[in-house]
């Protein structure tokens, strides 16, 4: 960028999203692996519990959501890890832009390549577990509201552990308990819909969680990043 | 400013601040804690003995649960302390983060294993109580489940603390985690409760309520206070040890430990 006044926070955030998306497309395999993991975990369930349609149908929302949680968690390191390793993160931290906005931009880019595919794959995997068609809308909507929360909470966890060697398992220990509400509301939206019940309650609560995470997680992750960068 | 000075004389404010600063000095804290620990410890022991005597001998058996209910004299205080310790940990962590007071970081770190122990104790006593009541050691009861998640949160805190070598950095990172946890714990609690009512219907019965007899309430309250005092005593012991460890290179520690 040429010398002169620095761009505003929004312009900087947009540039960061573009840059991260480009980087993700250059490393497609890394992005695809968690999705493959998502599919494989769901495939393992019928092999473990048996192929009976009734059992699988009852379990489908929970299984898809648990697998989505695990896949989201596996992909989390991608938010900050490579930028931490090559020093780009320090450049972001000393830039004149508010770090929380930049964190939000990075989470958005990461969600576009890791969360959105989970939303799209969800109904396919649900169908493979005999989830009835009327539950698909609630499953997709729930994933659409819930996976950004997973990325936002996860960003705090990654920011805290990015300086730790072999932080992967530690990250799961930190982040998975915090995912409990998303799992509960997401899975019950889909199972309510499968049972023909009202889904507005859990979906509204998921939306509330998203609003809360959007407002609180970026500053928390920014503070955690500053601590990790020391 | 002028208004506040009119209400609180400047000297009082200044004295308060000097006291606060002195408290934050490791050596003063070390000595003060050393003097407080026996008081907290003995008071906890006496109240614990009184509470156990009142709860296990004096209190009448429950008309529904017989003698099995007596585990509440351990279970309820432990469950309350598990939450109290987390809030204390996050509060101390917040103070450490905002005002950079090292002593607050030490206190926050000292709370974690104690809180985890109380949580584990609440889980174990809860499942022991569940065996005669529900016929199983573990049921996915809402409170037990939130308590289990709380235990995971504590273990995550301890694991993060252990993973970061630099003590100051570890203290600040764990404080952020504790604050995130404090925001999330009520959400987890209510979501688990909501999940539970959705799947299982209300619990078989609930303890407490306004109908608890005075013979049971008094020992229960004694136990609650005893647990709290025990927590403070143990927290101070841990914090005191860590202050020594952190200040190992300073002259006063060598003086206290008696090393040349």
């Amino acid at each position: 960028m040429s010398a002169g006044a620095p761009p505003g926070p929004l312009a900087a955030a947009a540039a960061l999203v573009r840059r991260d998306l480009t980087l993700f497309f250059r490393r497609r395999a890394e992005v695809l692996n968690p999705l493959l993991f998502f599919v494989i975990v769901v495939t393992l369930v019928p092999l473990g519990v048996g192929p009976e349609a009734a059992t699988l149908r009852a379990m489908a929302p929970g299984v898809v959501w648990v697998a989505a949680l695990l896949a989201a968690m596996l992909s989390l390191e991608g938010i900050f890890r490579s930028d931490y390793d090559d020093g780009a993160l320090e450049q972001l931290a000393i830039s004149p832009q508010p770090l929380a906005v930049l964190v939000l931009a990075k989470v958005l880019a990461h969600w576009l390549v890791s969360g959105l595919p989970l939303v799209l794959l969800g109904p396919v995997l649900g169908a493979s577990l005999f989830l009835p068609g009327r539950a698909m809308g609630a499953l997709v909507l729930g994933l659409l509201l819930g996976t950004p929360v997973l990325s936002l909470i996860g960003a705090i966890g990654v920011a805290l552990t990015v300086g730790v060697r072999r932080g992967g398992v530690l990250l799961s220990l930190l982040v998975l308990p915090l995912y409990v509400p998303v799992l509960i509301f997401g899975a019950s939206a889909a199972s309510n819909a499968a049972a023909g019940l009202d889904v507005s309650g859990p979906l509204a609560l998921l939306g509330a969680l998203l609003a809360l995470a959007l407002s609180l997680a970026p500053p928390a992750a920014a503070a955690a990043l500053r601590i990790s960068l020391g | 400013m002028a208004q506040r000075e009119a209400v609180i004389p400047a000297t009082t404010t200044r004295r308060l601040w000097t006291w606060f600063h002195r408290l934050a000095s490791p050596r003063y804290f070390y000595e003060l804690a050393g003097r407080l620990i026996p008081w907290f410890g003995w008071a906890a022991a006496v109240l614990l003995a009184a509470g156990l005597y009142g709860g296990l001998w004096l209190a009448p058996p429950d008309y529904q649960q017989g003698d099995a209910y007596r585990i509440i004299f351990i279970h309820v205080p432990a469950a309350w302390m598990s939450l109290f310790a987390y809030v204390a940990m996050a509060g101390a962590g917040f103070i450490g983060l905002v005002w950079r007071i090292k002593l607050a970081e030490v206190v926050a770190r000292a709370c974690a294993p104690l809180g985890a122990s109380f949580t584990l104790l609440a889980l174990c006593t809860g499942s022991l109580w569940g065996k005669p009541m529900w016929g199983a050691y573990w049921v996915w009861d809402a409170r037990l489940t939130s308590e289990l998640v709380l235990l995971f949160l504590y273990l995550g805190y301890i694991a993060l603390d252990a993973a970061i070598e630099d003590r100051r950095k570890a203290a600040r990172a764990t404080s952020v985690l504790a604050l995130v946890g404090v925001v999330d714990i009520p959400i987890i609690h209510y979501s688990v409760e909501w999940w539970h009512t959705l799947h299982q219907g209300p619990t078989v019965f609930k303890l407490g309520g306004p109908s608890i007899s005075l013979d049971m309430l008094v020992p229960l309250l004694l136990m609650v206070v005893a647990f709290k005092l025990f927590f403070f005593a143990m927290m101070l012991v841990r914090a005191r040890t860590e202050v020594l460890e952190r200040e190992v290179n300073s002259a006063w520690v060598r003086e206290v430990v008696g090393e040349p």
Side-chain angles (χ1 to χ4, degrees), chain A residues 73-107:
Chain A
M73 189 204 73
L74 269 188
S75 70
L76 281 178
E77 290 241 296
I79 302 184
F80 297 127
R81 170 62 71 187
S82 64
D83 282 353
Y84 178 82
D85 288 342
D86 64 18
L89 210 52
E90 284 184 30
Q91 299 299 317
L92 290 180
I94 58 172
S95 80
Q97 314 297 344
L99 189 56
V101 174
L102 299 182
V103 164
L104 191 60
K106 287 190 75 66
V107 172

Side-chain angles (χ1 to χ4, degrees), chain B residues 74-97:
Chain B
I74 306 285
H75 175 72
V76 172
W80 284 359
M81 285 312 294
S82 66
L83 275 175
F84 177 84
Y86 202 95
V87 174
M89 186 171 87
F94 179 76
I95 293 171
L97 269 183

Side-chain angles (χ1 to χ4, degrees), chain B residues 60-253:
Chain B
D62 186 74
Y63 79 103
Q64 245 179 336
Q65 308 178 32
D67 279 330
Y69 88 93
R70 290 184 197 276
I71 207 160
I72 65 160
F73 295 114
I74 306 285
H75 175 72
V76 172
W80 284 359
M81 285 312 294
S82 66
L83 275 175
F84 177 84
Y86 202 95
V87 174
M89 186 171 87
F94 179 76
I95 293 171
L97 269 183
V98 174
W99 289 287
R100 304 283 170 97
I101 298 177
K102 277 190 208 167
L103 198 63
E105 297 172 356
V106 170
V107 167
R109 183 164 187 256
C111 290
L114 294 171
S117 316
F118 281 123
T119 315
L120 192 63
L121 185 63
L123 277 173
C124 291
T125 51
S127 75
L128 283 178
W129 178 80
K131 183 60 182 168
M133 293 303 130
W134 294 319
Y137 282 114
W138 184 261
V139 289
W140 290 95
D141 169 64
R143 291 174 197 200
L144 279 181
T145 311
S146 347
E147 201 73 7
L148 185 63
V149 177
L150 182 64
L151 180 65
F152 293 152
L153 288 175
Y154 272 119
L155 295 180
Y157 180 99
I158 294 170
L160 182 64
D161 181 64
I164 304 175
E165 272 160 39
D166 179 2
R167 288 329 307 156
R168 289 307 298 275
K169 202 186 250 191
R172 303 184 59 210
T174 48
S175 299
V176 171
L177 183 68
L179 287 173
V180 174
V182 149
V183 174
D184 215 26
I185 281 175
I187 302 176
I188 291 174
H189 180 80
Y190 285 108
S191 67
V192 168
E193 210 147 80
W194 189 78
W195 157 81
H196 186 257
T197 51
L198 196 74
H199 286 273
Q200 290 194 351
T203 320
V204 188
F205 42 53
K206 281 191 175 134
L207 285 170
S211 61
I212 185 165
S213 135
L214 202 64
D215 298 340
M216 300 177 187
L217 187 64
V218 171
L220 183 61
L221 290 179
L222 285 178
M223 291 297 280
V224 167
V225 178
F227 268 55
K228 200 151 280 182
L229 290 171
F230 172 76
F231 167 78
F232 281 122
M234 286 299 114
M235 190 268 283
L236 288 175
V237 169
R238 296 190 67 91
R240 207 163 169 255
T241 320
E242 193 175 328
V243 164
L244 275 190
E245 210 177 304
R246 280 192 176 208
E247 305 281 320
V248 71
N249 290 324
S250 64
W252 72 267
V253 170

Side-chain angles (χ1 to χ4, degrees), chain A residues 25-196:
Chain A
F25 281 113
R26 301 266 159 81
R27 295 189 307 247
R28 264 164 295 221
E30 225 172 280
V31 176
L32 282 177
N33 286 347
L35 298 178
L36 209 56
F37 172 83
F38 184 43
V39 175
I40 290 174
V41 166
V42 173
T43 315
L44 289 178
V45 170
L47 297 174
V49 303
E52 290 84 9
T55 322
L56 291 177
R57 189 177 299 128
M59 292 171 61
V63 169
V64 172
W65 263 98
V66 169
L69 235 62
L70 296 176
M73 189 204 73
L74 269 188
S75 70
L76 281 178
E77 290 241 296
I79 302 184
F80 297 127
R81 170 62 71 187
S82 64
D83 282 353
Y84 178 82
D85 288 342
D86 64 18
L89 210 52
E90 284 184 30
Q91 299 299 317
L92 290 180
I94 58 172
S95 80
Q97 314 297 344
L99 189 56
V101 174
L102 299 182
V103 164
L104 191 60
K106 287 190 75 66
V107 172
L108 174 67
H110 180 261
W111 178 79
L112 283 175
V113 294
S114 69
L116 197 56
L118 293 182
V119 178
L120 300 176
L121 271 175
V124 180
L125 294 177
S128 78
L129 297 176
F130 308 104
L131 189 70
R134 62 183 168 189
M136 291 308 173
L139 182 67
V140 171
L141 211 55
L143 284 169
L144 203 58
L145 290 168
T147 46
V149 183
L150 303 182
S151 296
L152 284 162
I153 297 177
I156 306 174
V158 187
L160 286 172
T161 56
V162 77
V164 177
R165 259 175 292 131
R166 288 189 298 277
V169 184
L170 177 64
L171 177 66
S172 62
L173 201 58
L174 301 189
V175 158
L176 284 179
L178 299 172
Y179 281 176
V180 166
V182 179
L183 171 66
I184 288 177
F185 296 130
S188 57
S191 38
N192 274 11

